[in-house]
Amino acid sequence: GQPIGCPGLDAEGAYKIYEKKGRQATKYVGGDTGCDLNRNEFDGEVLYQIVEDYAVNNEKWYVDFPIVLKKMLRNGYSPEMMTDGPNVFDGVTCRRKKGKFQCIKA
């Protein structure tokens, strides 16, 4: 689906439809969305600032992502209802290379 709710997102011609790997895809091409920053707070921190922190700090994202992913996948289920799946992060090493993280499984 497409995001909605901001003047720029809802404007006619805001999206370009194209083919990608044999599938139809859309890309936002409308410029300024007209959306305000999300100033709601979560645990005392403004939401748009949380997003900006992750955008500029790859290490923070790299450290937090597996923790949040595990929590998200478990959401709505008690620990007793869960069974462990394969540990896909075992043996994975990540290094910064040319300003980006490169992860490989040994």
Side-chain angles (χ1 to χ4, degrees):
Q2 294 172 303
I4 58 172
C6 296
L9 294 176
D10 297 336
E12 188 172 330
Y15 295 89
K16 177 183 174 187
I17 299 172
Y18 63 99
E19 289 283 323
K20 183 175 183 178
K21 297 183 180 179
R23 294 185 177 170
Q24 184 174 327
T26 58
K27 178 179 181 179
Y28 179 74
V29 294
D32 185 1
T33 63
C35 291
D36 291 328
L37 296 174
N38 188 334
R39 298 183 191 283
N40 294 322
E41 290 192 13
F42 179 77
D43 283 347
E45 193 172 356
V46 179
L47 288 175
Y48 84 87
Q49 290 174 330
I50 294 171
V51 172
E52 287 180 353
D53 287 345
Y54 283 112
V56 298
N57 188 337
N58 288 337
E59 282 188 55
K60 179 177 175 57
W61 186 91
Y62 168 75
V63 168
D64 291 349
F65 177 74
I67 298 164
V68 173
L69 177 63
K70 185 174 183 178
K71 181 178 179 180
M72 182 185 70
L73 293 173
R74 188 177 63 223
N75 192 17
Y77 297 93
S78 68
E80 298 80 35
M81 297 170 72
M82 301 298 293
T83 58
D84 288 337
N87 192 344
V88 296
F89 294 107
D90 274 356
V92 174
T93 304
C94 296
R95 291 191 174 91
R96 187 183 295 260
K97 186 175 182 177
K98 295 181 183 180
K100 296 182 181 178
F101 280 98
Q102 181 179 34
C103 300
I104 57 171
K105 190 163 185 158

